[in-house]
Amino acid sequence: MKHLEGPARYHWYKLNVFVRWNKSTNQTIVLLFETPPDIVPRLLEQLGTPDSNVLQCPFWFYPLLLGEVARLQESAVWGIRDQVRAIEKRSWAQGLHLDPDYRDLHDIARHAIHVSETLDVAVQTIERMLSRHKELMRPLPSENRWQAIHSDIQFFESFISSLRCRSASNEKRLLNEIQLSFNTAAQYNASTSVKIGLATQSDSDTMKSIAFVTLTFLPPTFVSAIFSMSFFDFSADSGWAISDKFWLYWAFAVPTTVLTAVAWVFLRRFRTPVTWQ
C-alpha cells in the first residue's frame, strides 16, 4: 500500500504473510514480514485472543488481515483524494492555471496510478481466497462458522472494490485538472498572441503610411537634389547650362547604390537567426 503525504512525500506499507493451518491440532502458524509497526499490536492482540469456535476453519485469520489491509488502502485512497481536492480548490488568483506546476501534477497522478494498481492486486488476491474457501466449504454447506468467515471475506472484497472505484475517480479528476490547466494556459497564450498580432498589424499600418508619404516626396526630393548641384548653371547671362563634369555624379552614385544593395542582401542571408529561450 502506498501512502501519499504530498507530491514528493510518500511511503510504502508492505505486508508479507505466511499462514499454515494444522488440521489435526487446529493450530495456525502466522509469519509476518516487514509489517508496519502500527499494525503489529492490533494483530498480536487479535491473534492472542481468538474465538475458539473459528480455529477449526483454516481461513479464520484472513478477515483479521483483510481488515488491516482495508484500513491502510482506505487511508491511501483518501490521501490521493485530499491532494486532488487541494488542487481543485486552489484560487485562480494564484496563477495555477496560467502557470501550472506540471511536475507536481504528474507526481500526484503517478501516485494515484500506484494506489489503483495495489487495489487491483488486492481485489484479485481476495477473489482467489474466496474461490479457494468456497472449494473447502463444499463438504460443509451448513457450517455456520465457515459461512460467517466467507461472508467476512466477501465484505472486504466489496469494500476494496469500492475503494478501487474511488481511486479511479481520483485519477479522472486529476486528469481533468491537468487538461484544464493545459487548455487554460494555451488559451491565455493564444489570446496574448492575438494581441501581439493586432499590435503588429497596427504598427504595420503606421509603417505603410510613413512609407507612402516617403514615396510621395521622394521623386521631388530627388529632382531638387539633382538641380541644386553645381553641375547646373541657371544664370541669366548664360541661360541653362550643364557642366561637362556631370557624369561624375553618376560615376559615384550608381556604384554606391549597387554596393549598398549587395551589402544588405549579404547581411540578411548570413546573419545569425534569433532564437527564443
Side-chain angles (χ1 to χ4, degrees):
M1 287 73 71
K2 188 176 190 179
H3 279 210
L4 181 65
E5 299 175 355
R9 301 189 307 276
Y10 63 91
H11 60 273
W12 285 92
Y13 280 134
K14 295 181 63 178
L15 279 176
N16 298 320
V17 184
F18 175 82
V19 181
R20 182 179 179 86
W21 178 72
N22 192 323
K23 181 178 180 181
S24 60
T25 61
N26 289 332
Q27 290 180 329
T28 303
I29 300 174
V30 179
L31 297 180
L32 298 174
F33 303 93
E34 301 182 72
T35 307
D38 56 336
I39 296 179
V40 174
R42 288 194 298 270
L43 287 178
L44 289 177
E45 181 181 358
Q46 293 171 345
L47 290 173
T49 58
D51 185 355
S52 58
N53 294 324
V54 301
L55 292 180
Q56 299 178 5
C57 304
F59 277 53
W60 71 270
F61 173 71
Y62 288 103
L64 305 179
L65 179 63
L66 291 177
E68 296 298 329
V69 172
R71 185 182 65 83
L72 292 174
Q73 290 285 20
E74 182 181 23
S75 177
V77 171
W78 284 97
I80 296 293
R81 179 266 179 193
D82 292 341
Q83 293 294 325
V84 174
R85 185 55 181 160
I87 294 173
E88 294 174 339
K89 292 173 64 176
R90 289 182 193 174
S91 172
W92 281 59
Q94 298 176 352
L96 170 66
H97 297 289
L98 297 183
D99 188 18
D101 190 342
Y102 288 110
R103 180 70 257 180
D104 284 350
L105 294 175
H106 168 77
D107 286 340
I108 297 174
R110 175 169 55 86
H111 299 320
I113 293 173
H114 289 162
V115 171
S116 296
E117 179 186 5
T118 60
L119 287 169
D120 288 336
V121 173
V123 171
Q124 293 177 5
T125 303
I126 297 175
E127 289 176 350
R128 301 299 186 276
M129 289 182 183
L130 287 172
S131 176
R132 179 59 178 161
H133 193 256
K134 188 175 182 180
E135 293 178 1
L136 296 175
M137 284 178 53
R138 287 177 182 174
L140 305 168
S142 59
E143 185 63 47
N144 293 332
R145 290 170 296 182
W146 289 64
Q147 291 288 349
I149 293 175
H150 196 78
S151 297
D152 290 342
I153 298 176
Q154 285 180 324
F155 165 78
F156 286 114
E157 179 195 23
S158 176
F159 183 83
I160 294 181
S161 296
S162 300
L163 289 179
R164 179 65 181 87
C165 294
R166 165 58 67 175
S167 182
S169 175
N170 289 338
E171 291 185 62
K172 292 180 180 179
R173 290 167 61 184
L174 185 57
L175 178 61
N176 182 65
E177 285 299 312
I178 293 175
Q179 291 177 341
L180 176 61
S181 299
F182 178 80
N183 292 334
T184 304
Q187 183 180 14
Y188 176 79
N189 293 335
S191 176
T192 303
S193 298
V194 171
K195 293 179 181 179
I196 294 175
L198 293 175
T200 303
Q201 183 179 2
S202 177
D203 294 342
S204 178
D205 293 338
T206 303
M207 294 303 298
K208 288 179 180 179
S209 300
I210 295 175
F212 176 76
V213 173
T214 303
L215 183 64
T216 301
F217 288 95
L218 184 60
T221 303
F222 174 74
V223 172
S224 299
I226 290 293
F227 286 101
S228 64
M229 293 186 298
S230 58
F231 293 112
F232 298 92
D233 184 9
F234 300 100
S235 61
D237 298 335
S238 61
W240 185 7
I242 302 177
S243 172
D244 57 352
K245 305 296 183 180
F246 183 62
W247 62 271
L248 291 174
Y249 168 77
W250 300 109
F252 284 95
V254 173
T256 303
T257 304
V258 172
L259 289 176
T260 302
V262 170
W264 178 77
V265 173
F266 179 82
L267 291 176
R268 282 184 56 86
R269 179 173 298 181
F270 296 100
R271 69 178 178 178
T272 303
V274 178
T275 58
W276 297 95
Q277 301 295 332

